[in-house]
Amino acid sequence: MEMYVGTIEEDNANWWAILTDEGDTRKVKEISLQATMTALEVLEGQVDEKVAAVVEEAEVAVEEAFEMVTDTILDDADEETQEQAREVNESLASPGAPKAMFGATVPIPGSWTHLSVCGPITSVPLPRVKQANVVHNMKLYVVAGCYAGRALSDIQVLDLETSTWSRLALQGTPLPAIISHQVVVWHNKLLVVGGFAKGITEFEVYCVDLDSSTVSLLQTEGAKPCVRGGHTITIMGDHMVLYGGESIEPGGAALGDVYALDLSTKQWIQPDIKGEYPSDRHGHCAAPVGDFLYVFGGGTNSGCNNELHCLDCKRDVLHCVFDAATLCLTSMSGALRLDVSLELQGWMLKGRVSLDLTSMSG
């Protein structure tokens, strides 16, 4: 318990005021949850029975505190709020429906709703940044990331049908604590690609078999890309295409190279790209449409941009499609559609233009 309290104090020095009438009791869940989960992360792999019992006791205490605060908030609410809470609970009682927190309104089309999850609050992942996410078979996989300046090595799973969080019990090769990586799905496997980790010297690909939760380091042939983060990874057929990113050197120079990993042979290749290259970039986004890879935005050595580029992966031709004053990317029934306001040198195109890229992929 002493370790648990110490962890709370590290997360928030005013924890006691928050947990009592002197502070805002609505914050009890957030502060207690972060402290408990931090303790679990710190103790992972080195927990004996005595420590495990203490952590379990702490989890129960957090659950009880959260229930108490929830009851207090609703007891103090006016009749209209309590009635609203009852209506929300009834409307969201069906299996798979999103759960609302503290009497939040029923989800309305076109509006944001703060969702809670089922199960113990200690199952909720730590807050984090620079993680990688992917959706597969109605599950959201959140891979590693950074919390409070510390890199993580976990894989958290949100079941989108039951609104429950769980953590993969990983086996095999330890997944490194990593940030600024990418994750994609290939044949019911997660491929965790690149990123920054302590002591990293090579660009690596880790394979997570979702049937067995087994992690393995993918053994590849050929010249690998240099160590990087902030790149994009796109599955195109049996190839995994890497573009751009930021180098690990001090200052993090932007990169603009293209690599492809043949997933059937595990061979890295660097295509002979024709055409005018875009400026080097990291933190961009990429989307495949047929044989084309569309890349938008990102940070360059001179700032961020709103350029859209297209790589013809069949003919290995890279060309700039246009510089857009305004660009909005939207997914519509599997088609990538772009609504663009354009003003090009030599061309003046006013109003808005809609391009259905599915018609361009043949």
Side-chain angles (χ1 to χ4, degrees), residues 87-99:
E87 291 177 356
V88 168
N89 289 335
E90 291 175 1
S91 66
L92 299 179
S94 60
K99 311 300 179 184

Side-chain angles (χ1 to χ4, degrees), residues 143 155 170-178 181-186 189-195 197-209 214-220 224 240 261 263 268:
V143 182
I155 298 182
L170 300 177
Q171 308 176 62
T173 304
L175 188 69
I178 197 166
H181 49 294
Q182 289 290 311
V183 60
V184 291
V185 176
W186 186 68
K189 296 177 174 64
L190 300 183
L191 300 181
V192 182
V193 186
K198 185 177 180 179
I200 190 169
T201 59
E202 292 189 6
F203 188 90
E204 302 288 14
V205 179
Y206 287 86
C207 179
V208 183
D209 189 322
T214 300
V215 181
S216 60
L217 179 61
L218 202 65
Q219 301 299 321
T220 61
K224 297 181 180 181
M240 183 180 76
L261 178 63
L263 294 171
W268 279 107

Side-chain angles (χ1 to χ4, degrees), residues 17 20 29 31 34 69 79 129 135 141 170 176 181 198 206-207 209 231 243 256-258 287 291 295:
T20 64
K29 175 190 175 185
I31 301 302
Q34 289 184 4
V69 172
E79 291 185 5
V129 296
V135 174
Y141 292 88
L170 300 177
H181 49 294
K198 185 177 180 179
Y206 287 86
C207 179
D209 189 322
H231 49 288
Y243 171 65
D257 46 359
V258 176
D291 293 324
V295 175

Side-chain angles (χ1 to χ4, degrees), residues 130 144-145 151-152 176-182 193-200 203 226-231 245-249 252-253 255 282:
K130 299 184 178 180
L152 305 171
I178 197 166
I179 64 173
S180 300
H181 49 294
Q182 289 290 311
V193 186
F196 301 132
K198 185 177 180 179
I200 190 169
F203 188 90
C226 66
V227 175
R228 69 188 67 199
H231 49 288
E246 182 179 23
S247 68
I248 197 172
E249 286 78 15
L255 303 169
H282 60 88

Side-chain angles (χ1 to χ4, degrees), residues 36-256:
T36 301
M37 294 303 293
T38 300
L40 288 172
E41 293 286 348
V42 170
L43 294 172
E44 182 181 12
Q46 48 182 317
V47 178
D48 56 26
E49 293 183 2
K50 182 178 179 181
V51 174
V54 171
V55 174
E56 184 177 356
E57 178 185 345
E59 291 180 351
V60 172
V62 172
E63 288 286 353
E64 292 177 348
F66 181 47
E67 291 177 4
M68 176 190 68
V69 172
T70 304
D71 293 340
T72 300
I73 291 174
L74 291 180
D75 288 344
D76 293 343
D78 54 33
E79 291 185 5
E80 181 179 356
T81 301
Q82 293 188 27
E83 178 62 27
Q84 182 187 47
R86 283 191 291 270
E87 291 177 356
V88 168
N89 289 335
E90 291 175 1
S91 66
L92 299 179
S94 60
K99 311 300 179 184
M101 295 184 70
F102 298 138
T105 56
V106 176
I108 300 173
S111 67
W112 285 101
T113 301
H114 186 187
L115 301 179
S116 65
V117 295
C118 303
I121 60 172
T122 49
S123 67
V124 178
L126 283 170
R128 65 192 66 202
V129 296
K130 299 184 178 180
Q131 74 276 16
N133 313 307
V134 69
V135 174
H136 177 57
N137 288 343
M138 288 302 293
K139 290 182 171 62
L140 170 65
Y141 292 88
V142 179
V143 182
C146 179
Y147 165 63
R150 181 167 54 87
L152 305 171
S153 60
D154 57 341
I155 298 182
Q156 305 285 345
V157 186
L158 176 63
D159 189 314
L160 299 175
E161 295 181 317
T162 62
S163 297
T164 55
W165 281 105
S166 61
R167 175 173 174 164
L168 283 188
L170 300 177
Q171 308 176 62
T173 304
L175 188 69
I178 197 166
I179 64 173
S180 300
H181 49 294
Q182 289 290 311
V183 60
V184 291
V185 176
W186 186 68
H187 292 182
N188 205 41
K189 296 177 174 64
L190 300 183
L191 300 181
V192 182
V193 186
F196 301 132
K198 185 177 180 179
I200 190 169
T201 59
E202 292 189 6
F203 188 90
E204 302 288 14
V205 179
Y206 287 86
C207 179
V208 183
D209 189 322
L210 295 178
D211 292 327
S212 61
S213 298
T214 300
V215 181
S216 60
L217 179 61
L218 202 65
Q219 301 299 321
T220 61
E221 303 291 338
K224 297 181 180 181
C226 66
V227 175
R228 69 188 67 199
H231 49 288
T232 52
I233 293 292
T234 310
I235 297 293
M236 304 189 75
D238 282 336
H239 287 78
M240 183 180 76
V241 180
L242 175 150
Y243 171 65
E246 182 179 23
S247 68
I248 197 172
E249 286 78 15
L255 303 169

Side-chain angles (χ1 to χ4, degrees), residues 271-283:
D272 181 17
I273 305 294
K274 305 294 193 299
E276 180 182 355
Y277 268 74
S279 55
D280 299 347
R281 66 194 61 216
H282 60 88

